[in-house]
Amino acid sequence: MGLYDETLGTLLVGIFFNTYLYGVVSYQFAAYYQANFNDRLPVKCMVLFLVFLDTFHSVAAIYMAWVYMVTNYANPAALQYAAWPYPFTPIGTAAAAFVTHIFLGDRIYRLTHNKVLYGIIVMMALPTFGLGIACGVKAWIIHLIADMPQINNLATAWLAMQMTVDIFITGTLSIVLARAKTGWPATDSIVRRLIRGAVQTGLFASIFSLGDLISFLALPTTNFYGMFAIPIGRIYSNTLMDTLLVREKLKSQMTSSAFERTSRVMGWIPGPLTNPGPAATSIHLGVHRSLQNSADVASLDEEYSYSALADYCGRSTLQLVTMIS
């Protein structure tokens, strides 16, 4: 193993992967603005904030590689100190995670109208955000990499809380969406797409958070943890943008007016937050379903209200609860 494999090598891998993810997220940002969704102002501001945050952090990470590998090429002693983008990493990650957690918590609230559940998510997300900020500030003050084990307890609490929130949101969304299955191929395909997005919400971020935690505790004087820590923020952004862009596919499977009404109920576009009763999460879709085992086929291409659909398949028909905004 080379002299700098555990320091510059692992750091470079993390920066390369982060830059790749930034390219993916940049495409998602462009696709979002090109789609010209009529989203609420808070949603647009959230996307704009992530554009700025991801760009700033990705540029800062590349600058850090330049500082270590070009500016201090003949000065190995520079590796003993944390360049400022390093302590900024937990701050940027905490900000991206907090925005994603609150956004998905709002989706769960609009989907279930359960204030207690939403309150639990907010109460977990706030201290997680605070711990991430504290971790970054403390690392900024320490500056010397050899002294970074001083924040072991703080980093452990932050990453453990972050994984807990991710898993809680992922589990909640998966359970609610799984209950929405109807047995119809047209609707269940959308449910499966949404469940996949729900699993992605916590799976990849949790894997990288766990890798960050283990490597930081086991090898605090190397840059192994940077290989996991630097890309986490882009993973959160990718998750959030995916939940926004999935609407393009859903829209192609729904009538335009049904999609617009669903958008208002789910808070995608401006409009009052309404609670249409037990069917608050129903999505009016145009589908074809065989109503009998015979050749009789009922065309449901025209829009039906929830009550009309319920006559055919019961009170729990099209519960396609989305986590998209």
Side-chain angles (χ1 to χ4, degrees):
M1 183 174 289
L3 183 61
Y4 299 110
D5 287 2
E6 295 183 351
T7 52
L8 293 180
T10 52
L11 177 64
L12 200 58
V13 170
I15 293 174
F16 281 162
F17 187 55
N18 178 77
T19 304
Y20 166 76
L21 289 178
Y22 176 69
V24 174
V25 173
S26 296
Y27 169 79
Q28 291 177 311
F29 290 144
Y32 174 81
Y33 285 109
Q34 186 176 15
N36 197 28
F37 292 117
N38 185 29
D39 286 336
R40 296 175 298 141
L41 182 60
V43 176
K44 293 180 178 179
C45 291
M46 175 191 66
V47 173
L48 187 61
F49 171 75
L50 289 178
V51 170
F52 171 77
L53 178 63
D54 287 353
T55 300
F56 180 81
H57 191 202
S58 297
V59 171
I62 294 173
Y63 167 76
M64 177 169 58
W66 181 274
V67 168
Y68 284 136
M69 302 176 192
V70 179
T71 304
N72 291 286
Y73 175 77
N75 181 25
L79 296 175
Q80 300 176 21
Y81 302 93
W84 68 263
Y86 234 145
F88 176 78
T89 294
I91 296 175
T93 300
F98 179 73
V99 169
T100 304
H101 291 157
I102 295 300
F103 169 78
L104 295 176
D106 179 70
R107 295 307 91 204
I108 292 175
Y109 172 67
R110 290 179 179 274
L111 175 152
T112 62
H113 293 272
N114 189 326
K115 294 182 179 179
V116 175
L117 194 58
Y118 179 61
I120 292 173
I121 294 173
V122 172
M123 292 304 294
M124 288 193 299
L126 282 172
T128 301
F129 174 67
L131 287 169
I133 297 297
C135 193
V137 171
K138 184 70 173 177
W140 214 313
I141 294 173
I142 293 174
H143 190 52
L144 192 64
I145 290 181
D147 293 336
M148 286 300 173
Q150 294 180 25
I151 64 172
N152 278 3
N153 293 337
L154 196 59
T156 301
W158 167 47
L159 293 171
M161 279 291 295
Q162 192 162 273
M163 286 187 289
T164 300
V165 180
D166 289 337
I167 294 171
F168 182 81
I169 291 177
T170 299
T172 301
L173 286 171
S174 299
I175 290 172
V176 175
L177 291 171
R179 291 176 178 175
K181 287 191 174 181
T182 64
W184 299 359
T187 58
D188 284 356
S189 64
I190 297 177
V191 172
R192 285 192 295 270
R193 172 65 182 81
L194 297 175
I195 291 177
R196 189 190 78 185
V199 172
Q200 288 176 345
T201 299
L203 178 61
F204 297 115
S206 295
I207 290 174
F208 273 78
S209 294
L210 184 61
D212 183 16
L213 178 60
I214 293 175
S215 58
F216 181 76
L217 295 178
L219 301 166
T221 58
T222 70
N223 286 328
F224 260 105
Y225 58 91
M227 187 169 57
F228 297 99
I230 295 174
I232 295 178
R234 310 299 80 72
I235 293 174
Y236 278 113
S237 297
N238 175 265
T239 294
L240 191 149
M241 294 306 301
D242 184 64
T243 64
L244 290 172
L245 293 174
V246 72
R247 286 177 290 176
E248 281 295 292
K249 182 176 181 180
L250 293 184
K251 189 175 182 179
S252 67
Q253 301 182 38
M254 301 169 64
T255 61
S256 59
S257 54
F259 182 80
E260 181 178 352
R261 281 207 308 273
T262 301
S263 298
R264 294 188 183 279
V265 171
M266 295 304 298
W268 305 339
I269 62 177
L273 176 59
T274 58
N275 184 356
T281 59
S282 296
I283 294 179
H284 306 286
L285 298 175
V287 297
H288 291 281
R289 176 179 181 267
S290 176
L291 298 178
Q292 300 175 351
N293 292 330
S294 62
D296 291 337
V297 176
S299 175
L300 300 179
D301 276 341
E302 59 177 337
E303 270 189 79
Y304 280 83
S305 64
Y306 170 77
S307 58
L309 287 173
D311 290 337
Y312 289 109
C313 45
R315 296 290 294 175
S316 61
T317 40
L318 301 179
Q319 286 192 319
L320 296 180
V321 201
T322 68
M323 61 176 182
I324 50 185
S325 162

